[in-house]
Amino acid sequence: MYKSFLNILAVFHRDVTEQRLSFQDHPVLNDRYLLLTLIGKGGFSEVHKAFCLKEQRYVAVKVHQLNKEWKEEKKANYIKHALRECDILKTLDHPRIVRLFDVFEIDTDSFCTVLEYIEGNDIDFFLKQHKLIPEKEARSIMMQTVSALRYLNTDIKPPVIHYDLKPANILLGTGTSSGEIKITDFGLSKQMTEDTYDPEHGMELTSQGAGTYWYLPPEVFVTSGPNPPKISSKVDVWSLGCIFYQCLYGKKPYGHNMSQAAILEHQTILNAKEVQFPARPQVSNEAKLFIRRCLTYNARDRPDVIQLAEDEYLRSYPKRSATNSSARTAQLLINDSSN
């Protein structure tokens, strides 16, 4: 399908047992993307820093690999999620969302998506290095993330639920907690089309069991009853509460140090009716109240993304003698509020 197809295969070494691709000698994909360094691995994908020879810019090339031994149903499901991410990302244009530039096939079992390259690491990496993020910087991250989510719910038609918000999917553009952020990974996102979404009750969750359990709300774990659970943007609001809590306290509010299997077995999230705050570090009462609102157990009583964007804790900004760094952050938040 592509002129460089045979050359690509010659430099690829497939490790079937790990279901990943390993690249050598800096191959050029699709006649334009020069692979430079491996920057991340997932269960069925690798992400490489690359250089676009045509546009003369750095990009992130995500190589999606399918195991040939998979059943066709599993292949189709994986491709469906990957292509959904592509379809959604192609329509998005917001300073707090990673841009998608290109999609192309390598062979029948692998394909690539080309994304905006972000120099910094994600919040998950930052927390592993620094344990905590001070409240002022953590609130900045929340405000920027809410700005992106509001865009997904007001400017995009039909609106989008990210559904997989977590520290690993929020990138720190400068590598520090006080800089600009971008959200990424829309592989599990849901579009609230008119035929599937009820404004009063939400839309049916057709992919129950997917996602990262520490950051998902109780309603997605409900298995009783004849019908699938109903979800809305309130799923992302719960996720934000979990992320903010983890930034401030260095641990997850529910299921910390538990496996996903244990969370299901013990019904940890289904029983997450009250959030507990450690005595240290010291956090403002306003921040705690904001977290409680995000982690409201009953989805009916929890604010949605649009309501959260109007939350007083996010909209107010303390008047302090600012350093150059904090002044830059304040200006960033003001700019986001106008988006």
Side-chain angles (χ1 to χ4, degrees):
M1 183 175 182
Y2 300 98
K3 295 178 182 179
S4 60
F5 180 72
L6 294 178
N7 292 331
I8 294 172
L9 294 182
V11 297
F12 274 73
H13 170 68
R14 180 172 300 158
D15 186 342
V16 177
T17 59
E18 294 187 1
Q19 302 172 354
R20 294 171 178 156
L21 293 178
S22 177
F23 298 99
Q24 300 175 356
D25 304 325
H26 302 297
V28 176
L29 301 187
N30 204 28
D31 285 337
R32 65 185 291 183
Y33 301 111
L34 174 66
L35 297 191
L36 300 174
T37 56
L38 177 68
I39 57 177
K41 287 186 177 183
F44 307 105
S45 63
E46 287 186 352
V47 181
H48 291 255
K49 181 180 180 180
F51 188 75
C52 178
L53 301 174
K54 182 177 180 180
E55 300 293 337
Q56 295 290 294
R57 64 186 174 195
Y58 290 107
V59 294
V61 173
K62 186 174 184 179
V63 183
H64 306 260
Q65 175 64 46
L66 283 68
N67 190 330
K68 283 186 175 181
E69 297 180 1
W70 281 356
K71 293 182 179 179
E72 291 304 313
E73 181 181 358
K74 187 173 183 179
K75 283 186 180 182
N77 190 52
Y78 179 85
I79 292 173
K80 180 182 72 172
H81 288 306
L83 293 181
R84 176 187 291 124
E85 179 179 9
C86 297
D87 289 341
I88 291 174
L89 272 177
K90 281 188 292 188
T91 68
L92 305 183
D93 184 14
H94 189 276
R96 302 292 165 258
I97 297 175
V98 171
R99 293 183 61 194
L100 174 71
F101 295 130
D102 196 6
V103 183
F104 61 92
E105 180 184 1
I106 296 175
D107 56 34
T108 56
D109 294 308
S110 55
F111 63 97
C112 287
T113 51
V114 181
L115 302 157
E116 177 183 5
Y117 176 72
I118 307 299
E119 189 67 40
N121 291 301
D122 56 55
I123 292 178
D124 184 61
F125 181 88
F126 186 92
L127 289 174
K128 287 175 181 176
Q129 301 294 314
H130 302 277
K131 308 302 181 185
L132 303 172
I133 296 177
E135 182 179 340
K136 185 177 180 181
E137 284 73 26
R139 181 170 63 169
S140 167
I141 291 170
M142 289 299 102
M143 293 181 76
Q144 294 179 70
T145 307
V146 169
S147 172
L149 294 179
R150 180 175 58 183
Y151 165 80
L152 293 174
N153 282 268
T154 58
D155 292 27
I156 299 300
K157 304 297 181 187
V160 173
I161 305 170
H162 187 285
Y163 196 81
D164 198 22
L165 283 177
K166 55 186 177 182
N169 286 340
I170 301 179
L171 306 178
L172 299 170
T174 61
T176 70
S177 61
S178 61
E180 301 179 8
I181 67 95
K182 289 180 182 281
I183 63 174
T184 187
D185 199 343
F186 284 75
L188 294 178
S189 56
K190 325 289 181 186
Q191 284 200 290
M192 296 179 280
T193 57
E194 291 183 359
D195 59 333
T196 62
Y197 181 70
D198 178 346
E200 183 177 352
H201 301 101
M203 64 181 292
E204 286 189 355
L205 176 59
T206 56
S207 57
Q208 196 167 18
T212 310
Y213 297 168
W214 298 276
Y215 305 97
L216 288 176
E219 60 264 24
V220 310
F221 293 93
V222 175
T223 56
S224 59
N227 300 316
K230 299 281 189 178
I231 63 167
S232 68
S233 70
K234 295 180 179 185
V235 170
D236 291 340
V237 169
W238 177 280
S239 301
L240 278 177
C242 294
I243 295 167
F244 192 31
Y245 184 103
Q246 188 173 349
C247 289
L248 296 176
Y249 294 106
K251 65 177 186 178
K252 305 174 183 71
Y254 307 113
H256 188 68
N257 288 333
M258 293 176 65
S259 67
Q260 296 217 137
I263 286 175
L264 282 183
E265 180 182 353
H266 297 287
Q267 298 187 331
T268 301
I269 310 301
L270 277 173
N271 293 317
K273 296 184 178 181
E274 184 63 35
V275 59
Q276 302 296 324
F277 297 101
R280 292 288 183 271
Q282 189 173 2
V283 170
S284 72
N285 288 330
E286 290 80 6
K288 294 176 183 177
L289 288 172
F290 176 79
I291 291 172
R292 288 188 191 278
R293 285 192 286 274
C294 291
L295 300 182
T296 301
Y297 185 85
N298 194 321
R300 288 195 304 257
D301 301 324
R302 191 184 315 141
D304 59 24
V305 162
I306 297 173
Q307 292 169 327
L308 194 71
E310 300 300 320
D311 193 281
E312 185 178 352
Y313 179 71
L314 297 185
R315 291 174 61 83
S316 61
Y317 199 82
K319 296 180 180 178
R320 300 176 182 172
S321 56
T323 62
N324 289 339
S325 174
S326 60
R328 178 178 179 276
T329 302
Q331 187 60 49
L332 176 65
L333 302 181
I334 293 170
N335 292 341
D336 270 343
S337 297
S338 64
N339 285 334

